[in-house]
Amino acid sequence: MTEEDAGRASMWPTPVDDVPDLLAAYARPATLLRPTAGDPGPRDSSVGGTLLWPADEPWPVCRAPHVVGKRERLSDGDRELWQEYDRRMKARRRARTRGSSVMRAEEDEARTRIMDGASAIDLKTWERIRTVSEHPATPVPMIPVLQLHARDVPGLPLPEGADLLQLLWCPDDHAEPPGQPHYWGPNVEVRHRAAASVRTVADPPRPEHSKGVYLPRPCVLDPVRVVDLPAEDELPAELVGTAHAWADARAVAYRHLACLRGWKAGGWPSWHLTDLVPIDCACGARMRLLLTLDSGGDPKLTMGRSGELRVFSCPEDLTHPFRLNVQ
Ligand SMILES: [Zn+2]
Ligand SMILES: [Zn+2]
């Protein structure tokens, strides 16, 4: 192992293989995908690589509304008022004057009026920036994000006859795209197919506009099978003590043995930003974690606030729509 490999390996979680019987019912197989920058081909599992996509099959496009920042110029009067209040505030700060609360209430009111519900003011161009959702003028071609061959990810849930999972997304922000409540981020599409059925590989179109944080650098994968355990919140109360005792015996906190970090197929999701959010399919089934896409590392993506984008699927029927969640 080179020094660089050793450094990289230390970023990856240590898999466990001695889960006690009591916890075994909650242990789920997972595959850590471990992407590293490379030059993957269409027949490889990859992040941001060429997809094994038939040349004669339409390339997926996004028709959902995109989040855009609309700019409106402030009137000269409003700009001057804003600047005047800025000057006054700076003067107060310098003088450390007390008892100027009456003034501040008036300023607050004026600023609220000038903002007019916009999300920001650009103080260089003196424009209001209003965040709105707008349909793109023409459908936007999606880009390849993840391709998994079943041979590299044993146990990957796939429909009958398929041995390949492909995830694409529209590399822009969408506020609650169709079927994705409480979600903000790239619009995702998941496809399945039989690798052997693809003869000529498509040369996909590229979107004209994209957000750099949603453009993955091509990576090859180095998958490793692990056992993953749930966050404490997902364990029955009577097992929490068992879980901690087992982790303590290994001189490690339970949270470091559960919800393993990084790009992952299967396993358990962590709930480190919000409380546990149960995600239920329209059929009533509690959905299960299918994929975790992580920020940073070699693909150099940023999801949410440097978080994870997770894809949940229905354990009863893979054709039921998937759900997205960012933590
Ligand atoms: Zn889109
Ligand atoms: Zn379902």
Side-chain angles (χ1 to χ4, degrees):
M1 191 183 274
T2 65
E3 210 167 285
E4 192 193 349
D5 285 342
R8 202 180 284 148
S10 67
M11 299 179 335
W12 291 323
T14 314
V16 292
D17 47 17
D18 65 339
V19 176
D21 288 348
L22 276 170
L23 286 179
Y26 293 87
R28 281 185 189 166
T31 302
L32 301 177
L33 301 175
R34 310 199 298 178
T36 50
D39 185 21
R43 301 211 172 257
D44 299 322
S45 291
S46 63
V47 169
T50 306
L51 297 186
L52 191 60
W53 192 277
D56 56 1
E57 185 177 313
W59 188 258
V61 293
C62 174
R63 298 173 201 277
H66 287 192
V67 175
V68 290
K70 282 276 182 202
R71 287 170 170 267
E72 307 155 355
R73 223 179 150 69
L74 295 192
S75 70
D76 289 347
D78 281 349
R79 176 174 51 79
E80 280 157 21
L81 193 59
W82 192 286
Q83 286 169 319
E84 171 60 23
Y85 285 159
D86 254 359
R87 274 194 294 274
R88 287 191 204 171
M89 194 197 288
K90 279 175 191 150
R92 277 203 306 274
R93 269 197 213 124
R94 274 197 304 274
R96 299 193 180 160
T97 318
R98 268 186 270 164
S100 49
S101 56
V102 178
M103 209 52 203
R104 284 205 201 95
E106 177 198 326
E107 287 167 10
D108 274 354
E109 210 171 286
R111 280 173 195 260
T112 305
R113 179 189 61 75
I114 294 170
M115 287 290 284
D116 190 27
S119 54
I121 300 271
D122 184 331
L123 296 176
K124 288 206 174 82
T125 59
W126 296 103
E127 289 168 315
R128 269 185 215 99
I129 306 175
R130 216 181 277 283
T131 305
V132 295
S133 279
E134 257 185 11
H135 280 278
T138 52
V140 178
M142 293 194 165
I143 61 163
V145 176
L146 179 64
Q147 170 163 281
L148 295 177
H149 286 272
R151 61 166 193 267
D152 295 324
V153 186
L156 183 70
L158 288 164
E160 181 93 28
D163 59 0
L164 185 60
L165 178 150
Q166 296 169 321
L167 184 150
L168 307 91
W169 69 30
C170 173
D172 220 321
D173 279 321
H174 308 71
E176 303 197 318
Q180 305 299 342
H182 317 298
Y183 168 81
W184 173 292
N187 190 18
V188 173
E189 181 97 25
V190 175
R191 300 290 181 91
H192 305 104
R193 67 182 74 250
S197 69
V198 183
R199 307 207 187 283
T200 315
V201 177
D203 181 16
R206 304 288 298 183
E208 272 172 36
H209 178 263
S210 53
K211 282 188 78 171
V213 294
Y214 297 146
L215 297 177
R217 288 213 315 184
C219 288
V220 292
L221 305 183
D222 177 23
V224 59
R225 292 274 280 165
V226 294
V227 170
D228 205 8
L229 289 160
E232 198 180 307
D233 290 356
E234 299 209 56
L235 281 175
E238 65 273 19
L239 281 186
V240 171
T242 307
H244 283 289
W246 168 67
D248 288 349
R250 305 171 65 101
V252 60
Y254 175 73
R255 67 174 190 279
H256 293 310
L257 301 174
C259 311
L260 299 177
R261 293 265 348 240
W263 287 70
K264 170 167 93 172
W268 288 91
S270 71
W271 300 99
H272 52 274
L273 271 193
T274 65
D275 286 338
L276 172 66
V277 182
I279 299 183
D280 293 331
C281 182
C283 77
R286 176 69 34 96
M287 297 183 91
R288 279 174 78 126
L289 181 62
L290 174 68
L291 299 165
T292 303
L293 284 55
D294 202 10
S295 295
D298 274 352
K300 290 196 160 39
L301 296 173
T302 306
M303 269 80 71
R305 293 177 184 167
S306 292
E308 302 167 341
L309 189 159
R310 296 92 69 82
V311 182
F312 289 78
S313 63
C314 178
E316 299 300 324
D317 188 335
L318 276 175
T319 65
H320 292 177
F322 61 85
R323 286 279 301 276
L324 304 171
N325 173 274
V326 173
Q327 283 273 308

